[in-house]
């Protein structure tokens, strides 16, 4: 179903269209939430909060051309609200990043799935080590696929700042990935 038709049907309260909408965007919203959440359950709760907020505001939804960046902005704001609340009231214990759920469907061989899962875990471990600004740049530009103009508008910063932050974030991520790979390949003393 075309996005503009889907959005219009959701605006009118069509429950079947809402279900299609959720199924179409749930992985994307959950993926964004995992970058802000402390564990997989918290990410699911965040994603659910995002969809609740979207449902409540569906009558004010924008046109299809600008909807996805707007939806990502709403999701980001919900996640940031939760992060701020967590800083005020920290969790009782930390959850290791390695326990994040794998997001990709398993369509390859077990070896391919293992390799892909290892790379994904390595990526998310490195992502967690980034500064907040760098993590957000990687999340918005590389993971969510937003254009630099959309990011600049969302964050209310100049286009040049988005470009430089994005480049720095990719370099920082690469350094962390390489460091984590090196630490995994180092011989273990025992």
């Amino acid at each position: 179903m075309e996005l503009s038709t889907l959005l219009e049907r959701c605006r009118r309260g069509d429950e079947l269209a809402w279900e299609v909408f959720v199924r179409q965007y749930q992985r994307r919203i959950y993926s964004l939430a995992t970058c802000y959440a402390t564990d997989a359950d918290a990410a699911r709760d965040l994603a659910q909060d995002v969809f609740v907020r979207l449902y409540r505001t569906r009558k004010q939804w924008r046109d299809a051309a600008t909807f996805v960046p707007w939806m990502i902005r709403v999701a980001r704001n919900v996640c940031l609200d939760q992060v701020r609340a967590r800083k005020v009231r920290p969790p009782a214990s930390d959850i290791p990043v390695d326990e994040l759920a794998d997001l990709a469907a398993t369509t390859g061989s077990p070896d391919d799935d293992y390799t892909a899962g290892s790379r994904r875990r390595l990526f998310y471990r490195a992502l967690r080590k980034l500064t907040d600004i760098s993590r957000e740049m990687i999340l918005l530009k590389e993971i969510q696929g937003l254009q630099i103009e959309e990011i600049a508008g969302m964050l209310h910063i100049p286009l040049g700042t988005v470009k430089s932050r994005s480049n720095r974030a990719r370099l920082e991520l690469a350094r962390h990935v390489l460091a984590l790979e090196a630490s995994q390949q180092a011989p273990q003393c025992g």
Side-chain angles (χ1 to χ4, degrees), residues 24-52:
Q24 186 170 337
Y25 289 103
Q26 66 187 358
R27 291 177 67 88
R28 191 168 192 174
I29 297 298
Y30 177 76
S31 174
L32 186 143
T34 60
C35 295
Y36 292 95
T38 55
D39 59 43
D41 288 334
R44 279 191 287 279
D45 289 344
L46 272 174
Q48 183 175 359
D49 290 346
V50 169
F51 282 111
V52 167

Side-chain angles (χ1 to χ4, degrees), residues 37-100:
T38 55
D39 59 43
D41 288 334
R44 279 191 287 279
D45 289 344
L46 272 174
Q48 183 175 359
D49 290 346
V50 169
F51 282 111
V52 167
R53 174 115 20 118
L54 289 170
Y55 185 80
R56 287 181 180 157
T57 62
R58 70 190 184 283
K59 299 217 188 280
Q60 294 97 31
W61 282 0
R62 298 164 180 243
D63 64 344
T66 60
F67 179 77
V68 173
W70 176 82
M71 179 184 66
I72 298 299
R73 183 179 308 138
V74 168
R76 175 184 170 268
N77 289 340
V78 168
C79 292
L80 288 175
D81 289 346
Q82 194 269 349
V83 167
R84 287 184 197 109
R86 192 171 60 229
K87 284 183 180 176
V88 171
R89 193 183 37 217
S93 64
D94 291 333
I95 305 295
V97 174
D98 295 335
E99 292 182 14
L100 288 174

Side-chain angles (χ1 to χ4, degrees), residues 2 13 19 23 45 47-48 51 56 58-59 73 111 117 120 129 136 145 168 171 176 179 183:
E2 188 176 309
E19 186 176 330
R23 288 181 190 270
D45 289 344
Q48 183 175 359
F51 282 111
R56 287 181 180 157
R58 70 190 184 283
K59 299 217 188 280
R73 183 179 308 138
D111 288 340
R120 194 171 22 265
K129 292 181 174 288
E136 190 162 55
R168 268 187 254 125
L171 289 172
H176 285 296
S183 70

